[in-house]
């Protein structure tokens, strides 16, 4: 059971190590997502600048169209369309920026959770190492105990023959004593009748 426990602790340590590597890889992916999100933010800023410039161009075109009067009427229609497209691009860009901010916030939360998980797996690794060490020490103690038990059993086996012989001598001595006592009784009985 101690060996099984030691093996289980090693397997646990290996599993925790694998989990730790996976979490670190996931944390790296989250960091890459954060970088992509920052790139989206830069692109959104560029689109916002383009929308503002387009709006300014549309405003200038409207002013030019107004100054030319009836001849610039077609130009004014194009300027209005450019202004509507600019406003639409600005509105879409604001939506993209909001979504990107939400994504960045979520990425931050996931990153913090992964970092906490990395810390927890480090604790699990430490506990697995300590458990494995304790079980390994228990296994060594049990092996030493079993080795000692084998030596005691061998020693007892070596001396059991001597003990058996001594017991046989003792039993033989008891038999002789009983025979002697029986003879003494018989002699005492003969003596008592003779007197």
């Amino acid at each position: 059971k101690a060996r099984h426990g030691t093996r289980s602790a090693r397997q646990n340590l290996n599993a925790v190590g694998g989990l730790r590597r996976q979490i670190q890889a996931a944390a790296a992916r989250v960091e890459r997502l954060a970088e992509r999100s920052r790139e989206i933010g830069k692109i959104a800023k560029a689109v916002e600048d383009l929308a503002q410039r387009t709006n300014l161009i549309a405003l200038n075109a409207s002013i030019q169209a107004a100054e030319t009067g009836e001849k610039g009427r077609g130009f004014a229609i194009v300027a209005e369309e450019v202004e509507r497209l600019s406003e639409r691009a600005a509105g879409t860009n604001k939506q993209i920026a909001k979504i990107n901010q939400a994504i960045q916030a979520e990425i931050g939360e996931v990153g913090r959770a992964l970092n906490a998980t990395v810390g927890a797996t480090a604790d699990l690794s430490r506990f697995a190492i300590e458990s494995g060490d304790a079980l390994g020490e228990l296994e060594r103690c049990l092996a030493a105990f079993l080795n000692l038990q084998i030596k005691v059993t061998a020693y007892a086996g070596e001396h059991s023959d001597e003990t058996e012989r001594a017991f046989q001598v003792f039993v033989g001595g008891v038999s002789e004593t009983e025979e002697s006592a029986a003879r003494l009784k018989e002699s005492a009985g003969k003596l008592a009748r003779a007197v």
Side-chain angles (χ1 to χ4, degrees):
K1 289 195 183 259
R3 282 188 200 114
H4 176 72
T6 302
R7 277 193 305 272
S8 294
R10 278 191 215 115
Q11 289 169 344
N12 185 26
L13 183 60
N14 291 337
V16 168
L19 177 63
R20 191 174 179 187
R21 286 187 296 278
Q22 288 175 355
I23 290 171
Q24 287 171 337
R29 286 187 199 110
V30 166
E31 184 53 39
R32 286 193 298 273
L33 283 174
E35 182 58 35
R36 298 291 186 259
S37 180
R38 286 188 288 273
E39 289 174 9
I40 289 171
K42 289 176 186 175
I43 292 169
K45 180 67 175 150
V47 170
E48 181 182 347
D49 289 344
L50 287 173
Q52 287 175 353
R53 286 184 184 187
T54 305
N55 197 22
L56 186 59
I57 290 170
L59 180 62
N60 286 336
S62 293
I63 291 170
Q64 290 294 322
E67 286 178 358
T68 57
E70 192 59 39
K71 291 180 183 179
R73 190 163 204 280
F75 197 61
I77 292 171
V78 171
E80 287 174 12
E81 186 61 31
V82 169
E83 185 179 5
R84 277 194 297 276
L85 287 173
S86 172
E87 288 171 359
R88 190 168 152 202
T92 302
N93 193 55
K94 285 179 184 176
Q95 290 175 341
I96 290 170
K98 277 185 180 179
I99 291 170
N100 192 46
Q101 286 175 348
I103 289 170
Q104 285 178 346
E106 288 295 321
I107 288 172
E109 287 296 318
V110 170
R112 284 187 288 281
L114 284 173
N115 287 334
T117 305
V118 166
T121 55
D123 289 343
L124 283 174
S125 292
R126 184 172 45 83
F127 296 146
I129 289 168
E130 289 172 1
S131 296
D133 290 347
L135 286 168
E137 182 62 27
L138 177 62
E139 187 177 347
R140 284 187 291 280
C141 289
L142 285 172
F145 175 76
L146 291 174
N147 189 29
L148 184 60
Q149 184 181 13
I150 289 168
K151 286 179 181 177
V152 167
T153 303
Y155 181 77
E158 290 172 6
H159 292 84
S160 68
D161 292 339
E162 292 174 20
T163 305
E164 181 66 28
R165 282 191 296 272
F167 182 71
Q168 293 301 325
V169 168
F170 173 74
V171 169
V174 169
S175 289
E176 288 176 17
T177 304
E178 286 175 349
E179 287 175 15
S180 295
R183 273 189 245 131
L184 282 172
K185 274 187 185 180
E186 189 180 313
S187 295
K190 286 180 185 176
L191 215 78
R193 281 183 293 231
V195 175

